[in-house]
């Protein structure tokens, strides 16, 4: 049952600078908690054998230690149709209504043993098949909300719910946490996978501004909600099998048909502290780099300029501080408006100085889009190739793409540079006599689609080539054009001037 954990690979910007998804081998991460449930009893150095606040919650089961079973390499929380001797006519509450405590089940949590702030939390579970059962894998802190729900199954076994419950920010900012001002984001994942037919992996990646939810090692939902997420303090982990409550009162558990919620393992990783990385940040559109001006603004200039050297310091798995000398990238006046020229200012830790990096697929090397945490706006080069501004997500993506060059030999990338673009896949482009001559790099063994676009990103011509192409561009107006060469797996960008 113990299977190797595999998840989408993380792409390194360099040896020390990494982006978002935890990698298959978790290089750059360290495991801080693990229970494989290999023994014959619950490890009480890691878990409490029922809810830390007591044996009842918002459902109809009394959670007893004897219903927490560890055997054959799994944890089994057993749900039974029987009134526990210690229930003594107890009542629980769900939706502000009293409900009977007339079943017995199991719950465990790590309160007082293990708590974590930020990281990757995952477990491998098999849900019970019976209606009326509500298995859950979630996190909590003192007080409610907030709470992270990684797995909840109240009804269909081909669906699971995931949420962050938090206090409405308009209340929280002046009053603090309050359960009667609870709000949430998240939803439910529907597919054809029966969660009760076998074991599946459920995980959440959490940093100061983001929650990413995973199912069977694939990210299916992502939220950048720093205002709400900052309400989360260190969390402890809960695994429980609720009966009734949100799952309803149509309950299939009988005296001779108990329910079992099984866990193969629970694990938690945290990103290792990363060292700052020294890079030069090159516009994919213009081939020039971000540089610090005498007025402490960001401009585009020569990548070999000493003022193009940037220090990128990870703050979390997705968020970074970017310094040019002793000054950090900064949004003047914390503006959330598009078109604001980015400046440089002494570090104060605000969201207007924190940069979220998004790795772009299909390109060789470290190509990213960068957005400011406070505004969710992307950094882009202006069409005149002179300034760096923040702009909308649906603006021209090519002006929002940046290549992170290692700071070696004055930004000598070790590649042939043609026009404004690094020759990453070996394609050559030559303009002469109103024709564009293209010779594909050797990686494009099955040919590639060649697309010519204007500076606004509009396609003006396309041509399917197998090895070479001679494209008549006589009718194109004079100006600068971009050439995108793609085979569906990778993209190479070039440019030419007519």
């Amino acid at each position: 049952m113990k299977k190797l954990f595999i998840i989408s690979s993380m792409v390194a910007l360099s040896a020390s600078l990494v982006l978002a998804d935890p990698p298959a081998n978790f290089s750059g991460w360290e495991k801080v908690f693990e229970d494989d449930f290999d023994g014959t009893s619950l490890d009480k150095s890691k878990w409490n054998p029922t809810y830390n606040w007591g044996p009842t919650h918002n459902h109809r089961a009394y959670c007893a230690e004897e219903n927490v079973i560890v055997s054959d390499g799994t944890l089994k929380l057993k749900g039974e149709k029987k009134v526990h001797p210690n229930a003594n006519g107890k009542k629980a509450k769900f939706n502000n209504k009293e409900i009977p405590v007339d079943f017995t089940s199991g719950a465990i949590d790590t309160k007082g043993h293990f708590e974590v702030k930020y990281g990757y939390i995952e477990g491998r579970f098999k849900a019970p098949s019976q209606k009326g059962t509500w298995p859950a894998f979630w996190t909590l802190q003192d007080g409610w909300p907030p709470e992270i729900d990684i797995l909840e199954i109240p009804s269909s076994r081909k669906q699971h719910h995931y949420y962050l419950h938090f206090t409405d920010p308009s209340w929280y900012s002046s009053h603090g946490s309050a359960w009667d001002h609870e709000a949430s984001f998240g939803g439910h994942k529907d597919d054809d996978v029966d969660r009760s037919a076998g074991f599946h992996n459920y995980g959440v990646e959490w940093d100061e501004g983001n929650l990413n939810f995973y199912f069977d090692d694939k990210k299916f939902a992502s939220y950048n909600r720093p205002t709400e997420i900052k309400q989360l303090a260190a969390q402890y982990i809960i695994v429980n099998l609720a009966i009734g409550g949100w799952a309803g009162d149509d309950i299939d558990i009988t005296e001779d048909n108990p329910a079992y919620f099984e866990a193969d393992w629970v694990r938690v990783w945290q990103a290792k502290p990363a060292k700052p990385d020294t890079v030069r940040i090159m516009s994919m559109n213009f081939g020039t780099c971000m540089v610090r001006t005498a007025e402490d603004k960001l401009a585009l200039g020569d990548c070999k300029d000493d003022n193009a050297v940037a220090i990128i310091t990870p703050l979390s798995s997705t968020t970074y501080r970017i310094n040019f000398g002793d000054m950090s990238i900064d949004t003047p006046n914390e503006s959330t408006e598009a078109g604001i020229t980015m400046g440089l200012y002494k570090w104060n830790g605000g969201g207007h100085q924190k940069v979220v990096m998004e790795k772009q697929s299909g390109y060789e090397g470290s190509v990213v889009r960068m957005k400011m945490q406070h505004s969710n706006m992307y950094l882009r080069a202006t069409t005149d190739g002179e300034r760096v501004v923040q702009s909308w997500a649906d603006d021209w993506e090519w002006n929002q793409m940046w290549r992170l060059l290692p700071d070696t030999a004055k930004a000598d990338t070790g590649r042939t540079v043609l026009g404004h673009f690094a020759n990453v896949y070996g394609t050559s482009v030559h303009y002469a006599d109103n024709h564009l001559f293209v010779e594909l790099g050797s990686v494009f063994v099955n040919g590639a689609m060649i697309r010519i676009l204007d500076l606004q990103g509009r396609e003006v011509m396309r041509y399917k080539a197998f090895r070479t192409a001679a494209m008549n561009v006589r009718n194109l107006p004079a100006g600068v054009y971009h050439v995108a060469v793609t085979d569906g797996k990778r993209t190479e960008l070039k440019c030419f001037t007519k």
Side-chain angles (χ1 to χ4, degrees):
M1 183 56 66
K2 305 293 179 232
K3 294 186 177 179
L4 178 66
F5 174 81
I6 302 175
I7 196 165
S8 305
S9 62
M10 180 190 297
V11 182
L13 303 186
S14 72
S16 62
L17 182 59
V18 294
L19 290 172
D21 302 346
N25 62 2
F26 275 80
S27 174
W29 294 68
E30 60 182 337
K31 191 183 298 178
V32 294
F33 180 88
E34 179 175 28
D35 197 338
D36 288 339
F37 303 112
D38 281 333
T40 57
S41 62
L42 186 71
D43 186 344
K44 292 184 181 179
S45 70
K46 297 178 179 178
W47 303 95
N48 301 307
T50 187
Y51 299 117
N52 67 86
W53 57 80
T56 60
H57 191 32
N58 56 353
H59 56 91
R60 290 173 55 177
Y62 182 98
C63 289
E65 181 173 352
E66 57 267 29
N67 282 50
V68 177
I69 303 163
V70 176
S71 65
D72 301 321
T74 67
L75 165 76
K76 303 170 181 68
L77 302 182
K78 182 179 181 181
E80 298 180 276
K81 184 174 175 55
K82 73 174 186 180
V83 178
H84 193 274
N86 294 335
N88 295 326
K90 287 181 180 292
K91 299 288 185 181
K93 277 192 175 182
F94 179 73
N95 280 347
N96 294 318
K97 295 181 180 179
E98 285 195 340
I99 56 176
V101 181
D102 51 357
F103 287 81
T104 303
S105 188
I108 61 174
D109 70 46
T110 65
K111 178 67 182 296
H113 303 286
F114 173 78
E115 297 178 1
V116 66
K117 185 172 184 180
Y118 307 145
Y120 188 83
I121 305 169
E122 190 184 48
R124 184 168 175 82
F125 297 96
K126 180 181 179 182
S129 61
Q130 291 95 329
K131 288 188 298 185
T133 58
W134 171 14
F137 174 46
W138 49 301
T139 74
L140 199 60
Q141 63 196 56
D142 287 336
W144 185 90
E147 151 193 338
I148 305 173
D149 294 317
I150 308 170
L151 156 68
E152 288 189 287
I153 306 179
S155 52
S156 170
R157 305 293 106 158
K158 293 184 178 180
Q159 174 191 93
H160 75 272
H161 293 247
Y162 57 95
Y163 296 100
L164 174 69
H165 296 277
F166 55 90
T167 302
D168 183 276
S170 62
W171 172 270
Y172 191 93
S173 60
S174 56
H175 299 87
S177 179
W179 67 268
D180 54 348
H181 290 268
E182 180 267 341
S184 64
F185 63 76
H188 48 82
K189 176 172 171 54
D190 302 84
D191 49 42
D192 291 327
V193 179
D194 184 347
R195 274 80 167 155
S196 67
F199 284 84
H200 298 278
N201 297 352
Y202 305 82
V204 65
E205 183 186 9
W206 162 38
D207 63 33
E208 62 184 10
N210 300 273
L211 285 177
N212 300 316
F213 292 91
Y214 290 77
F215 178 61
D216 281 342
D217 308 331
K218 295 181 180 178
K219 182 166 64 177
F220 67 87
S222 183
Y223 300 91
N224 175 244
R225 300 281 291 267
T227 300
E228 296 86 355
I229 291 171
K230 73 178 182 181
Q231 297 180 18
L232 290 164
Q235 301 282 294
Y236 61 88
I237 298 169
I238 306 170
V239 181
N240 71 283
L241 176 58
I243 300 173
W246 190 21
D249 294 324
D250 184 9
I251 301 171
D252 281 348
I253 297 174
T254 62
E255 291 181 1
D256 58 353
N257 183 33
Y260 292 93
F261 180 32
E262 295 187 67
D264 187 14
W265 44 256
V266 174
R267 299 169 186 165
V268 181
W269 292 262
Q270 284 192 307
K272 295 177 182 177
K275 297 178 180 179
D277 210 13
T278 303
V279 300
R280 295 169 190 251
I281 306 172
M282 185 186 79
S283 166
M284 289 285 285
N285 190 10
F286 294 101
T288 49
C289 285
M290 292 185 185
V291 296
R292 176 181 178 175
T293 69
E295 297 79 23
D296 287 331
K297 293 186 181 299
L298 272 184
L300 288 173
D302 189 346
C303 289
K304 296 182 179 180
D305 192 318
D306 288 341
N307 290 322
V309 176
I311 307 296
I312 301 183
T313 303
L315 303 174
S316 70
S317 60
T318 58
T319 308
Y320 299 84
R321 168 184 174 180
I322 302 178
N323 264 45
F324 289 81
D326 60 348
M327 297 290 202
S328 299
I329 286 184
D330 182 273
T331 313
N333 300 316
E334 303 184 26
S335 174
T336 58
E337 299 295 321
I340 294 294
T341 299
M342 298 302 295
L344 295 164
Y345 197 77
K346 290 188 180 298
W347 174 253
N348 57 41
H352 60 291
Q353 293 185 323
K354 295 177 180 177
V355 181
V356 178
M357 297 236 188
E358 297 177 354
K359 177 73 175 67
Q360 301 298 293
S361 61
Y363 301 94
E364 183 177 291
S366 299
V367 177
V368 300
R369 292 172 77 200
M370 298 184 282
K371 66 180 177 183
M372 302 308 297
Q373 186 187 76
H374 77 298
S375 66
N376 279 331
M377 286 197 174
Y378 288 84
L379 299 185
R380 67 180 288 267
T382 54
T383 54
D384 58 12
E386 295 182 359
R387 295 179 297 128
V388 179
V389 300
Q390 66 176 10
S391 191
W392 302 107
D394 58 359
D395 202 347
W396 187 32
E397 281 193 12
W398 283 6
N399 263 355
Q400 298 173 348
M401 291 189 185
W402 306 88
R403 185 183 296 280
L404 304 185
L405 304 173
D407 182 39
T408 58
K410 293 283 188 178
D412 178 5
T413 66
R415 308 186 193 282
T416 302
V417 175
L418 177 67
H420 295 310
F421 295 110
N423 188 14
V424 294
Y425 291 124
T427 297
S428 65
V429 173
H430 176 66
Y431 170 71
D433 299 327
N434 286 316
H435 282 76
L436 185 69
F437 300 94
V438 180
E439 183 174 352
L440 297 181
S442 60
V443 297
F444 298 107
V445 292
N446 296 315
M449 181 63 69
I450 302 171
R451 301 167 65 232
I452 300 178
L453 300 97
D454 65 16
L455 282 180
Q456 285 69 49
R458 296 173 297 202
E459 182 180 300
V460 295
M461 187 177 294
R462 68 165 50 200
Y463 186 88
K464 177 67 176 180
F466 290 94
R467 293 190 65 183
T468 62
M471 303 172 67
N472 188 339
V473 295
R474 181 184 305 275
N475 294 328
L476 296 183
V480 178
Y481 293 89
H482 297 90
V483 182
V485 181
T486 180
D487 63 358
K489 297 179 180 178
R490 70 208 113 211
T491 298
E492 185 170 18
L493 296 178
K494 301 288 184 181
C495 79
F496 74 97
T497 302
K498 182 177 183 292

